[in-house]
Amino acid sequence: MSEPATGPDLRDDGAPLAGVRVVEFGHYIAAPAATQVLRDLGAEVVKVEPPLGDQARSIGAYGEGIVLAYNRGKRSVRLDLKLPDDRAAALRLVADADVVVQNLRAGAMARLGLGVADLVAVRPDLVHLSVTGFPSDSPSANRAGLDIAAQAESGIMDLTGERDRDPQRVGFPVADVGASYAVVQAVLAGLFRRERTGRGCVGEVSLLETAVHMQAAMWGEWHVTGQEPRRKGNGQATVAPAADVVDTRDGRVVVSAYAPEHFRRLCTFLDKEWMLTDPRFMDNPARVQHRAELLAEVGSVLGTLSTQECVTRLGDLGLVAAAVRTYADVAASADVEAGDLVVRATDPDGRSFPVPGLPFRIEGLSAPADHTVPRSGEHTDDVLGRGGEG
C-alpha cells in the first residue's frame, strides 16, 4: 500500500484501510459517498475538483448537504484537467495511489487523457472503479444517468406509490447511495485480489444495474406468482399484515405479523381471537384480499394506545412494530445514539453538525479523528507541493 502523504503512520491505528491512498474524481453522490466509506475505514482520500468545484457545491441547499455528508476528512485539490500541467499533476497523484474512483460523464476521463489505460500506465496495480449511469457497453452508455433515471428505468418508480396514483421516486437518492455501497464492495474485492496476486483491478458500477439488483426479491416474486410486481402503497402484496401503517393515539406504527404464529399472537393481544377462524382472516390470501377490514380491526385497538406502547408491547410478543419517525425523531433516537451511527463533523466554516457515519461496526475500529469538510481546493498547495511524492 502507498505511504500516507503526511502525518503519522496510519497503519498502526487498527483501521482496515490505513495506508491506502484513494484519488477521487467525483461529483454529487455515488463516487464521493463510496470514497467517504473508504475514508471512514482509514484510507487517505484526495478529492480532485475542477476549477468551480464538485458540481454539488453550486446547486443550493441540497448540494451543500451532499458536500457535507460525503466529504468529511478528505483533502481537496483543485485542478483544471484540460491544462497539461494540471493533468500531469493528476497523473502524479494517481502514480502514488492505490485506488481511483471516478463518476465523470461517460468518456470524459479518456478525453482528458486520464482514461483507464492512461492511469494504469502510471500505476500498473491500480484498483480503478468507474461509476456510470448505464452500463458502458449498453445502448444508453452515453446518456446522462442521474439517480432519477435509474429509479425510473429500473422499475423502482413503477413499484413505488399508491396503486391508483402516479409512480413516485423514493424520497432519497436510493440508486446513488446503493451504487456507492457497490463501489465499496468492488474496491475491497480489488484490493484483496491485489494483495493475493499483485494484480490491479478495473471495475465499473452503474446506477441502473445497482437499482435493478436491489429489487432481486421482487424478481423472485414475479417468478413465483407469474405477475409483475405492482405498486400498492404500504403493505406487501402477498402477505398481511405486513409493512402496514396503523394510526396510534399519537402517531403511526408499521406492523408485520403474517406468519401463522405471529398472527395468532397479534389476535390474542387485540383480544380478537375470533379473527383466527373468520373466513376473511384465517390465512394470508384471505387477509390480503380483506386487508382494509383487517387493518380496521387492528387499528381499533392500536388507535387507543400510544406509539411507544404499541412498539413496546408488540415487541415483547416478538412481533414487528416500529414507529414512523421524522428526521428529528431519528436524531433523538436512543437506538441511533447507541449504535454510534451519527458523528460530529465540522463544515468549511468551522461549525459543528451531526451526520451519519459508517453503518456498521468492526471490533477495534474507531472513527477517524478528522471529520472536517474541506473547501474546494483547500489542500491544493499542500498536496501538490510534494509533486505527488510520498
Side-chain angles (χ1 to χ4, degrees), residues 222-307:
W222 181 15
H223 170 71
V224 171
T225 65
Q227 298 178 338
E228 287 189 65
R230 304 300 299 176
R231 62 182 174 278
K232 63 173 303 299
N234 294 313
Q236 293 177 221
T238 59
V239 286
D244 285 295
V245 177
V246 180
D247 288 340
T248 66
R249 192 175 68 228
D250 57 359
R252 291 188 175 110
V253 292
V254 288
V255 177
S256 289
Y258 49 85
E261 176 58 29
H262 290 173
F263 185 64
R264 185 175 300 109
R265 294 179 203 168
L266 177 63
C267 291
T268 300
F269 172 80
L270 299 173
D271 195 21
K272 294 177 183 283
E273 286 90 346
W274 58 264
M275 294 172 63
L276 295 170
T277 55
D278 189 303
R280 298 171 298 168
F281 310 130
M282 61 190 306
D283 58 26
N284 257 314
R287 292 196 293 272
V288 169
Q289 184 178 354
H290 298 281
R291 189 185 298 267
E293 296 136 284
L294 170 67
L295 295 182
E297 296 294 343
V298 175
S300 68
V301 176
L302 299 193
T304 68
L305 305 174
S306 71
T307 298

Side-chain angles (χ1 to χ4, degrees), residues 153-177:
E153 299 202 5
S154 68
I156 287 178
M157 284 186 67
D158 188 62
L159 198 62
T160 305
E162 299 293 334
R163 181 190 302 271
D164 299 321
R165 304 293 295 274
D166 291 340
Q168 292 186 337
R169 70 177 182 88
V170 176
F172 69 97
V174 62
D176 275 335
V177 175

Side-chain angles (χ1 to χ4, degrees), residues 308-340:
Q308 190 56 53
E309 285 179 297
C310 292
V311 170
T312 300
R313 294 177 62 181
L314 291 173
D316 287 344
L317 295 174
L319 305 180
V320 175
V324 178
R325 290 174 170 164
T326 66
Y327 269 42
D329 295 335
V330 175
S333 165
D335 295 319
V336 171
E337 182 178 353
D340 294 325

Side-chain angles (χ1 to χ4, degrees), residues 316-384:
D316 287 344
L317 295 174
L319 305 180
V320 175
V324 178
R325 290 174 170 164
T326 66
Y327 269 42
D329 295 335
V330 175
S333 165
D335 295 319
V336 171
E337 182 178 353
D340 294 325
L341 172 62
V342 176
V343 299
R344 299 298 304 187
T346 305
D347 72 15
D349 295 322
R351 297 170 299 188
S352 176
F353 67 98
V355 66
L358 284 175
F360 56 84
R361 287 176 281 176
I362 298 175
E363 182 182 3
L365 172 64
S366 57
D370 183 10
H371 283 288
T372 302
V373 178
R375 298 183 187 278
S376 177
E378 179 177 338
H379 303 98
T380 303
D381 291 341
D382 179 35
V383 173
L384 299 185

Side-chain angles (χ1 to χ4, degrees), residues 105-145:
R105 189 157 181 174
M109 290 287 282
R111 289 191 294 272
L112 291 167
L114 297 170
V116 173
D118 303 297
L119 302 186
V120 171
V122 300
R123 181 72 192 234
D125 62 351
L126 184 68
V127 175
H128 183 287
L129 261 292
S130 297
V131 187
T132 63
F134 302 91
S136 60
D137 56 356
S138 74
S140 294
N142 293 319
R143 289 171 55 196

